[in-house]
Amino acid sequence: MTHVLTLNAGSSSLKFGLFALGASDPSAVSTGLVEEIGSDCARIHASSGDGEVITDNRPEPIQDDAVALDRVLALLGHHYPDVRISAVGHRIVHGGQDIVSPQPLSEEVLKKLERLSPLAPLHQPQNLLVARIAMARFPKALQIACFDTAFHRHHPWVNDVFALPREYYDKGVRRYGFHGLSYEYISDHLRRTAPLFHAGRVIVAHLGNGASMCAMVSGRSVGSTMGFSALDGLPMGTRCGQLDPGVLLYLMEQEGMSASEIADLLYKHSGLLGLSGLSHDMRTLEKADTPETRQAISYFTFRIRRELGALAAVLGGLDTVVFTGGIGENSRLIRDRVCGDMGWLGIELDHDANADNNRIISTDLSRVSVMVIPTNEELVIARAAALHLASEATKVHDRS
């Protein structure tokens, strides 16, 4: 049996998954996360496909992504010595204007993707760095890139453009949308398990340290809260979300801030962290219950509600709302705050079902169904890698 390794690199983290390829859907052998890479707190969390915790007892520090990947490979090799990795699948945040599907990675493709790093400075460089490391570790394996922007590349023009001179649109200054792998998973999950919901008008709220919302019709993205970069739309853990561009002019002209200082402010010191003055972690904010944390949570839910109404207008109505992502899947408080007093939109929350983290948390009488669905970006990547492996095998068979 062959296997696929999936890698999802963040600014200081590395999510990974090991999947076995068989006759049906890829099955998870192990999934995990290396977090706080480069700090004294760096550690690996991993579990088997059936939920058993897998421990990493090595005391050596995890200084960088290369060490993190080597530690992951050593951990998986120890617990699964018979694994044969035929493909490595990578989450790449930005694919630019034209990429609409997963792509095999090569040095030429990597160089093209590097030119998009200014559009996603927290993620793109790390994504590509880990891809290069994996290509060195597995020189004979198929390397597949899956893009967060690809799911949104079929937007109507009005949902894709800014009101700037048209030459900038032609140069690539447009709304790209992100979190596409998560939205692709939710869309496919609805298609498989709830086809009537999938066929309708759906808003998915991917709420986590990065947060956005996506409007779908028949499983296809027609609108997103994120735009040119991963800063737009909802406030996030450390990112600002929607911001009047006049604020940037003020920061440059009156505060004397440079472009790099502004980027550092908007990407790393804003959002929930900036508003609360305490933490980017919603769990910490909910427990703290200070005036500042309550205000940060109120602004977060206010923006979600505002975008919910806006995306319902984009769709011309609403049939289903799906919560996903770390906050969306786990925070009863946030779901309650977002859905409360939304009867005018057809949403009626079942508070008991919400408290129990049920799959459907709307009442039987609610005109809009409200669901909680855990996302699985790693499975989306594994499926893409499996499809490309099968395609390569077919080409080899046909040539023979």
Side-chain angles (χ1 to χ4, degrees):
M1 180 177 290
T2 62
H3 296 79
V4 169
L5 177 68
T6 65
L7 299 174
N8 181 346
S11 56
S12 62
S13 65
L14 178 65
K15 290 182 182 178
F16 61 90
L18 180 65
F19 291 81
L21 301 184
S24 57
D25 219 19
S27 59
V29 175
S30 177
T31 57
L33 168 70
V34 188
E35 60 181 353
E36 304 293 342
I37 296 171
S39 77
D40 295 336
C41 303
R43 55 197 176 276
I44 300 177
H45 304 279
S47 60
S48 66
D50 57 11
E52 180 183 355
V53 174
I54 299 172
T55 57
D56 172 63
N57 297 318
R58 294 172 61 179
E60 296 90 350
I62 304 176
Q63 304 102 324
D64 54 34
D65 292 284
V67 175
L69 180 54
D70 286 341
R71 287 280 288 273
V72 167
L73 296 178
L75 181 67
L76 294 176
H78 174 73
H79 288 276
Y80 310 103
D82 297 328
V83 160
R84 183 165 67 89
I85 294 175
S86 299
V88 183
H90 303 271
R91 176 210 180 196
I92 307 294
V93 166
H94 216 300
Q97 302 177 40
D98 303 319
I99 294 179
V100 297
S101 61
Q103 302 287 318
L105 279 176
S106 65
E107 186 60 33
E108 181 183 0
V109 171
L110 285 171
K111 288 180 179 178
K112 289 180 180 179
L113 296 175
E114 283 173 348
R115 293 198 286 269
L116 299 171
S117 291
L119 307 187
L122 279 189
H123 298 90
Q124 192 86 346
Q126 294 302 115
N127 296 162
L128 301 180
L129 173 63
V130 169
R132 289 184 183 279
I133 296 170
M135 291 168 76
R137 299 295 189 273
F138 300 98
K140 295 183 179 180
L142 180 66
Q143 305 278 338
I144 293 294
C146 300
F147 300 91
D148 262 337
T149 50
F151 187 72
H152 305 288
R153 296 316 312 132
H154 304 288
H155 279 180
W157 183 81
V158 293
N159 291 344
D160 213 29
V161 69
F162 295 103
L164 294 170
R166 297 182 73 101
E167 63 189 88
Y168 292 102
Y169 181 80
D170 296 334
K171 291 178 180 179
V173 179
R174 56 183 70 186
R175 298 182 187 275
Y176 288 99
F178 297 89
H179 295 129
L181 300 184
S182 178
Y183 294 130
E184 182 178 343
Y185 175 81
I186 298 299
S187 175
D188 187 71
H189 183 82
L190 289 176
R191 180 184 63 80
R192 294 171 185 240
T193 65
L196 291 179
F197 290 174
H198 176 268
R201 299 162 297 184
V202 180
I203 295 175
V204 182
H206 176 103
L207 309 178
N209 193 47
S212 68
M213 297 167 70
C214 177
M216 302 181 192
V217 177
S218 299
R220 288 168 64 91
S221 173
V222 297
S224 170
T225 59
M226 276 189 170
F228 178 66
S229 71
L231 284 172
D232 201 8
L234 304 178
M236 295 162 246
T238 62
R239 284 171 269 170
C240 60
Q242 182 272 333
L243 187 69
D244 182 343
V247 174
L248 306 182
L249 299 176
Y250 170 84
L251 294 176
M252 288 188 290
E253 296 171 356
Q254 303 302 318
E255 298 291 328
M257 294 178 69
S258 66
S260 61
E261 289 172 330
I262 292 174
D264 189 61
L265 172 69
L266 301 185
Y267 276 102
K268 298 181 180 180
H269 301 286
S270 299
L272 294 173
L273 174 62
L275 288 173
S276 70
L278 177 65
S279 175
H280 68 276
D281 193 313
M282 183 59 71
R283 294 166 295 186
T284 301
L285 301 185
E286 290 184 11
K287 289 178 182 177
D289 195 31
T290 66
E292 293 80 9
T293 61
R294 288 195 294 270
Q295 287 180 331
I297 292 171
S298 293
Y299 182 70
F300 184 65
T301 54
F302 162 74
R303 288 298 314 184
I304 297 169
R305 289 166 62 91
R306 179 167 173 164
E307 296 292 350
L308 188 63
L311 291 177
V314 169
L315 292 170
L318 182 60
D319 302 307
T320 306
V321 173
V322 177
F323 287 95
T324 194
I327 297 173
E329 295 165 23
N330 297 295
S331 177
R332 301 164 178 83
L333 174 66
I334 297 302
R335 296 192 301 258
D336 183 81
R337 292 277 191 89
V338 170
C339 295
D341 301 319
M342 277 285 190
W344 61 271
L345 193 56
I347 295 174
E348 185 176 292
L349 190 69
D350 183 326
H351 296 283
D352 292 334
N354 182 49
D356 291 338
N357 260 15
N358 288 353
R359 182 170 184 260
I360 296 179
I361 59 173
S362 50
T363 67
D364 292 339
L365 297 178
S366 181
R367 288 187 289 111
V368 172
S369 298
V370 183
M371 309 179 72
V372 179
I373 301 176
T375 194
N376 194 335
E377 295 166 310
E378 285 66 38
L379 181 56
V380 172
I381 298 170
R383 285 171 175 165
L387 188 63
H388 275 263
L389 281 172
S391 176
E392 289 295 318
T394 299
K395 291 178 184 177
V396 171
H397 181 269
D398 289 345
R399 286 196 296 268
S400 63

